[in-house]
Amino acid sequence: MTSLEIKNLISQMTLEEKASLCSGYDFWHTEKIDRLGIPASMVSDGPHGLRKQDDKADHLGVNESIKAVCFPAGCGTAASFNRDLINMMGRTLANECQAEGVSVLLGPAMNIKRSPVCGRNFEYYSEDPLVAGEMAGSLIAGVQAGGVGTSAKHFLANNQEHRRMTCSSNIDERTLREIYLAAFEGAVVKSKPWTIMASYNKVNGVHATECKEYLTDVLRGEWGFDGYVMSDWGAVNDRVAELKAGMDLEMPTSNGENDKLIVEAVKNGNLDESVVDTAVERILNIVYKFEEGKNPNAVWDLDADHEVAHEIAKETMVLLKNDGILPLSSDKKIAFVGQYASKPRFQGGGSSHINCRKVTSAMDAVANICDVAYAQGFNDKVDATDEAMLKEAIEVAKNSDVTVIFAGLPDVIESESFDRPDMKMPKNQLELIDKVCEVQKNVIVVLHNGSPIEMPWLSKVNGVLEAYLSGEASGAAVVDILFGKVNPSGKLPETFPLKYEDNPSYISFPGEGNEVNYAEGVFVGYRYYDKKNMDVLFPFGFGLSYTEFEYSNLKLNKTSMKDTDEVIVTVDVKNIGAVAGKEVVQLYVNDVESKVLRPINELRGFEKIDLMPGETKTVEFKLNKRAFAYYNTKIHDWHVESGDFNIRIGKSSRDIVLEEKIYVESTVRIPVKYSLDSAVMDIQEDPVAYEIAKPYFKLDFFTDTNSSSEDSATAEAMSKEMMDAMIRYLPLRGMLNFSNGKTTLADLNELVDKLNNI
């Protein structure tokens, strides 16, 4: 339906009908108007599976949904660093939605992992906005290529579950732009989601659903978003204010209560009817976009999609430690210990929880390879050691050549609606690992968790595989990697700190009362740990392989550029090992000398490549202004400081293997407001200002350098250093006191006027 036809349809509606379309028809559908032939349109939870409910609707995964396929959660798909793989997942999900008549899949969830204990981290992608935006964007593009919409969520700054429906995320402008908005920006600009879901929380004291600055000025004005904004379920606070701000659709239905408020506001002149018309038009654009792109022949095969989930899961796992124990040989006596070997934890709790028809455990998958002894080891429903289970596990481990322990976090610890209290594993699992290591020297731990954990046992084991929450086929993928059928290629999309207290948000998370202050600013995750050169358990971007990669021949197509230009970076990567493998090539940018506080490294590009033994590929990156810029709050825009930048190629944020320098020249001069309180050093930093000011610098400092001390040379050097520092820090007004009358107040006011008119 054309825009003109939709506008004509709206012109035929009563005010009451328009208002009704701004709210849901029920829990999962938009409103319908039979007399005008406007259909209801179904939305459904995602984003890593279809949680469609035919009845008993809820948004916390309490009631059962249809049988569906659970793909890897965001924590795992981000670890793949594979855009094409996630795009394929999106296309598969779109086909399922088409077959089920779902117009919009509610996802991806792309909030930044500010704290490792946020209860919903398993759904989110990364602590880095580039990774979050690129992974989310790939899923969005895949789903929407299949004629189904997405709803990027939760906009904005929804980084904890504690008081998520009432708390205010208090964040400075630069941090919002560089970290929390940036994740959404990349996905919105490149992949253009059909809808955006506004979050429950407030942003700097204003409900996210009422933030005109972000919903209209930024989202639509700057980024070009042209879909509709819906509320998170029950996030509506002031319906009229939300319409004015740009929040179009209330979900679920308020049973007409908020519709009445809209009608009343229009009638009493508090709300322009054109605002309602615009919201209705946005909603109908998406309703008819799906209707006209419906695939009546869509069918979905749960078994076929299970295999797709298996393929994706193979790249979502990260090998964290390998003392030569992996891959395993089938001729060894192998023991699998731990409940998750037979009943894997492969998804989180809450609105993304999928009702699976088929789940492949590691025990299921290994049966096709060799006989493996098994002991449950622990019960994840309680955090108490079952002595009989522990004893059995110890015996099984003692009688094996190699023991693989399947451990992690249970649903009761990691779920939507509440945050974790710490980064610790359950005590019964910690005891199991310790006791097994006492009787078995060859131990591998496979972890099932959606966010970082502390590993006090790390030095005792020979191998660690982070399986994350990798969907219903995760057991098969784990076995593929353990036995070398698949070479692990995942990289950590987040830092694993040594302990929870090391995290930069630790002191201010989850805040006091209804206020949470993002005191760490832009120093989230590796930006903080690397800046402090702090020891971590595993750094951002880290991940081992069964082969080895050699980097060489880093080239830039220019050594200097203006910030309006683009630089092309190439690097060669060779597989120098004996098996095929995939490598994630990471590009970081480092501002060599900055006047503003910046991270040491900022990820500005990544590419995943597949290499046969002996094969070399050249990876290319294109960097523009944003790769070198920070967000300048004086001009409310991205800004590059003229100077040298290091282009760094790394295997992780801590393993930089190649580096080249480029000079970037800013084409924007930041206006400075000078006053008598401005320091000399502030003027010296601006070459133009300094040339104007030099004739006015008539300082008359005197020091006695005729010391008879044998250390006179040292004293003279110290005196000069002290004088230079004092002059640099001296405010202009100080010249009245240190120029022996050579500078007057009139001189200084004249200088200030000249400086402010540059």
Side-chain angles (χ1 to χ4, degrees):
M1 186 175 287
T2 67
S3 176
L4 187 61
E5 289 172 324
I6 289 177
K7 288 180 187 295
N8 182 55
L9 198 59
I10 295 171
S11 70
Q12 300 174 51
M13 295 179 191
T14 66
L15 175 58
E16 287 72 16
E17 286 172 332
K18 293 176 186 178
S20 72
L21 282 170
C22 294
S23 180
Y25 169 70
D26 57 18
F27 208 84
W28 297 118
H29 294 84
T30 60
E31 184 62 83
K32 61 180 180 177
I33 301 179
D34 291 331
R35 77 174 186 88
L36 295 175
I38 297 174
S41 189
M42 185 173 194
V43 302
S44 184
D45 273 329
H48 53 262
L50 183 57
R51 197 180 79 87
K52 179 184 176 184
Q53 291 181 321
D54 291 323
D55 56 11
K56 294 183 180 179
D58 74 281
H59 70 294
L60 291 176
V62 177
N63 295 305
E64 192 167 283
S65 54
I66 65 168
K67 293 291 183 182
V69 175
C70 180
F71 296 90
C75 57
T77 53
S80 76
F81 280 81
N82 189 330
R83 297 174 179 88
D84 293 338
L85 193 73
I86 308 312
N87 185 277
M88 177 184 73
M89 174 175 154
R91 289 173 182 269
T92 306
L93 284 165
N95 182 66
E96 296 179 0
C97 289
Q98 285 280 7
E100 290 293 332
V102 172
S103 68
V104 174
L105 190 68
L106 302 179
M110 49 192 301
N111 295 103
I112 293 294
K113 296 186 178 186
R114 176 183 177 236
S115 168
V117 300
C118 171
R120 211 164 176 178
N121 273 356
F122 64 88
E123 246 186 289
Y124 302 152
Y125 291 105
S126 180
E127 67 190 23
D128 181 83
L130 177 66
V131 177
E134 290 291 302
M135 293 293 100
S138 297
L139 185 75
I140 290 166
V143 172
Q144 295 185 172
V148 174
T150 57
S151 191
K153 63 183 186 182
H154 309 86
F155 191 76
L156 172 68
N158 179 189
N159 308 105
Q160 63 188 56
E161 295 300 283
H162 178 74
R163 290 182 177 264
R164 64 171 175 164
M165 301 185 82
T166 56
C167 76
S168 176
S169 298
N170 300 330
I171 315 174
D172 68 89
E173 182 184 10
R174 180 185 168 198
T175 300
L176 268 170
R177 287 286 187 164
E178 292 190 21
I179 306 294
Y180 300 98
L181 279 165
F184 285 92
E185 180 182 6
V188 170
V189 172
K190 289 184 180 180
S191 300
K192 300 187 182 302
W194 290 9
T195 78
I196 295 285
M197 185 187 292
S199 57
Y200 290 117
N201 56 285
K202 299 171 187 171
V203 181
N204 294 324
V206 180
H207 283 275
T209 52
E210 299 172 24
C211 284
K212 181 179 181 294
E213 179 181 358
Y214 304 118
L215 295 181
T216 296
D217 301 344
V218 173
L219 186 61
R220 293 187 169 100
E222 293 183 27
W223 300 348
F225 173 69
D226 59 3
Y228 70 76
V229 176
M230 71 173 77
S231 71
D232 202 340
W233 266 233
V236 164
N237 176 63
D238 182 329
R239 192 66 192 97
V240 174
E242 288 160 347
L243 275 173
K244 292 178 180 179
M247 206 283 286
D248 308 296
L249 177 64
E250 173 190 21
M251 288 299 290
T253 178
S254 59
N255 299 302
E257 290 299 311
N258 282 324
D259 303 350
K260 295 174 188 175
L261 295 178
I262 295 171
V263 171
E264 181 183 346
V266 171
K267 288 182 176 179
N268 66 23
N270 188 36
L271 177 65
D272 195 312
E273 191 169 352
S274 65
V275 174
V276 183
D277 291 348
T278 298
V280 171
E281 183 179 355
R282 290 170 179 158
I283 294 165
L284 292 183
N285 278 335
I286 301 305
V287 169
Y288 284 106
K289 192 171 188 176
F290 173 71
E291 289 295 319
E292 292 165 4
K294 271 185 177 178
N295 179 5
N297 300 315
V299 292
W300 62 311
D301 183 331
L302 272 73
D303 290 326
D305 289 359
H306 178 86
E307 289 309 310
V308 173
H310 181 193
E311 286 302 308
I312 297 167
K314 293 174 184 178
E315 293 195 35
T316 63
M317 300 179 182
V318 186
L319 184 59
L320 296 177
K321 183 175 182 179
N322 184 18
D323 290 348
I325 198 170
L326 291 170
L328 295 174
S329 173
S330 59
D331 60 4
K332 298 284 187 181
K333 289 177 63 178
I334 299 170
F336 281 6
V337 170
Q339 179 180 329
Y340 298 144
S342 61
K343 293 182 179 179
R345 180 166 184 259
F346 57 88
Q347 65 176 324
S351 60
S352 66
H353 196 276
I354 306 302
N355 182 17
C356 302
R357 182 179 67 89
K358 180 180 182 180
V359 176
T360 302
S361 70
M363 287 302 296
D364 295 331
V366 79
N368 299 319
I369 298 175
C370 61
D371 290 331
V372 168
Y374 169 72
Q376 181 175 334
F378 64 86
N379 177 1
D380 78 344
K381 302 299 182 189
V382 295
D383 188 7
T385 298
D386 184 307
E387 295 298 337
M389 285 185 184
L390 180 60
K391 182 178 180 181
E392 179 191 19
I394 292 170
E395 287 303 311
V396 167
K398 188 186 300 183
N399 293 320
S400 67
D401 296 323
V402 180
T403 297
V404 184
I405 301 175
F406 291 75
L409 299 177
D411 283 335
V412 72
I413 288 180
E414 197 173 37
S415 175
E416 181 179 351
S417 295
F418 57 87
D419 298 314
R420 294 159 58 198
D422 51 45
M423 283 175 50
K424 301 182 187 301
M425 292 173 62
K427 294 177 183 177
N428 56 358
Q429 295 187 36
L430 293 174
E431 184 176 5
L432 172 66
I433 294 172
D434 284 343
K435 294 297 184 183
V436 167
C437 287
E438 289 176 6
V439 300
Q440 175 56 254
K441 64 179 182 179
N442 298 314
V443 177
I444 301 159
V445 175
V446 176
L447 294 169
H448 299 75
N449 48 291
S451 50
I453 57 173
E454 294 171 9
M455 302 183 194
W457 40 262
L458 183 61
S459 63
K460 301 176 185 178
V461 304
N462 310 90
V464 180
L465 178 64
E466 175 57 80
Y468 275 121
L469 302 183
S470 291
E472 63 180 46
S474 62
V478 165
V479 169
D480 287 338
I481 291 172
L482 290 178
F483 287 88
K485 184 179 179 181
V486 169
N487 191 348
S489 63
K491 299 278 189 174
L492 290 179
E494 59 195 331
T495 308
F496 276 45
L498 288 169
K499 58 185 184 300
Y500 176 35
E501 290 81 359
D502 290 344
N503 183 260
S505 71
Y506 175 74
I507 291 177
S508 57
F509 184 96
E512 295 180 282
N514 274 329
E515 304 283 329
V516 52
N517 297 315
Y518 286 49
E520 69 281 359
V522 299
F523 292 94
V524 179
Y526 73 90
R527 286 168 164 79
Y528 171 79
Y529 300 115
D530 292 358
K531 184 76 172 180
K532 291 195 68 175
N533 195 24
M534 179 184 287
D535 287 340
V536 295
L537 196 61
F538 297 105
F540 174 87
F542 177 82
L544 301 174
S545 171
Y546 293 155
T547 190
E548 191 174 348
F549 300 97
E550 180 182 75
Y551 289 66
S552 64
N553 203 27
L554 173 61
K555 291 182 178 179
L556 282 60
N557 72 334
K558 57 188 70 171
T559 57
S560 64
M561 61 181 275
K562 293 184 183 295
D563 63 9
T564 50
D565 297 335
E566 183 178 80
V567 60
I568 297 175
V569 180
T570 57
V571 62
D572 292 342
V573 184
K574 182 179 182 180
N575 183 347
I576 60 174
V579 296
K582 296 180 179 181
E583 174 71 332
V584 178
V585 185
Q586 302 162 47
L587 185 151
Y588 297 87
V589 170
N590 158 248
D591 190 344
V592 176
E593 186 176 351
S594 175
K595 297 172 188 173
V596 298
L597 192 60
R598 297 190 68 172
I600 294 295
N601 292 320
E602 293 176 277
L603 185 73
R604 295 306 194 215
F606 64 86
E607 294 293 336
K608 192 167 194 176
I609 55 174
D610 194 353
L611 295 169
M612 298 298 292
E615 184 180 9
T616 300
K617 287 184 179 177
T618 300
V619 180
E620 180 179 290
F621 300 95
K622 292 181 180 179
L623 304 180
N624 58 22
K625 176 178 179 176
R626 282 289 291 270
F628 306 98
Y630 71 95
Y631 193 83
N632 189 309
T633 55
K634 292 181 179 178
I635 60 173
H636 305 289
D637 200 358
W638 297 94
H639 178 64
V640 177
E641 284 185 307
S642 294
D644 289 329
F645 290 81
N646 290 319
I647 306 297
R648 294 174 163 175
I649 302 296
K651 298 182 178 181
S652 76
S653 74
R654 291 289 178 92
D655 188 4
I656 304 299
V657 293
L658 295 171
E659 182 175 284
E660 288 289 342
K661 194 178 265 69
I662 185 171
Y663 181 85
V664 183
E665 179 184 346
S666 176
T667 59
V668 177
R669 185 179 183 279
I670 304 298
V672 178
K673 184 67 176 176
Y674 292 100
S675 71
L676 292 179
D677 203 42
S678 297
V680 170
M681 66 182 298
D682 296 330
I683 299 169
Q684 289 174 326
E685 289 174 353
D686 185 333
V688 177
Y690 189 47
E691 284 301 313
I692 294 172
K694 276 197 294 187
Y696 291 83
F697 290 169
K698 301 171 183 177
L699 299 173
D700 195 9
F701 290 104
F702 294 96
T703 56
D704 180 8
T705 58
N706 297 317
S707 171
S708 59
S709 167
E710 60 185 33
D711 295 326
S712 60
T714 302
E716 184 175 348
M718 289 177 62
S719 177
K720 184 179 186 307
E721 179 82 13
M722 185 170 60
M723 286 298 103
D724 287 346
M726 184 166 182
I727 292 171
R728 286 198 309 272
Y729 300 141
L730 187 72
L732 291 180
R733 54 180 162 74
M735 291 187 187
L736 294 175
N737 307 101
F738 296 103
S739 67
N740 277 337
K742 296 174 185 176
T743 301
T744 68
L745 185 59
D747 291 335
L748 295 178
N749 284 324
E750 179 184 58
L751 172 59
V752 169
D753 288 341
K754 287 183 178 180
L755 294 177
N756 286 331
N757 283 287
I758 295 175

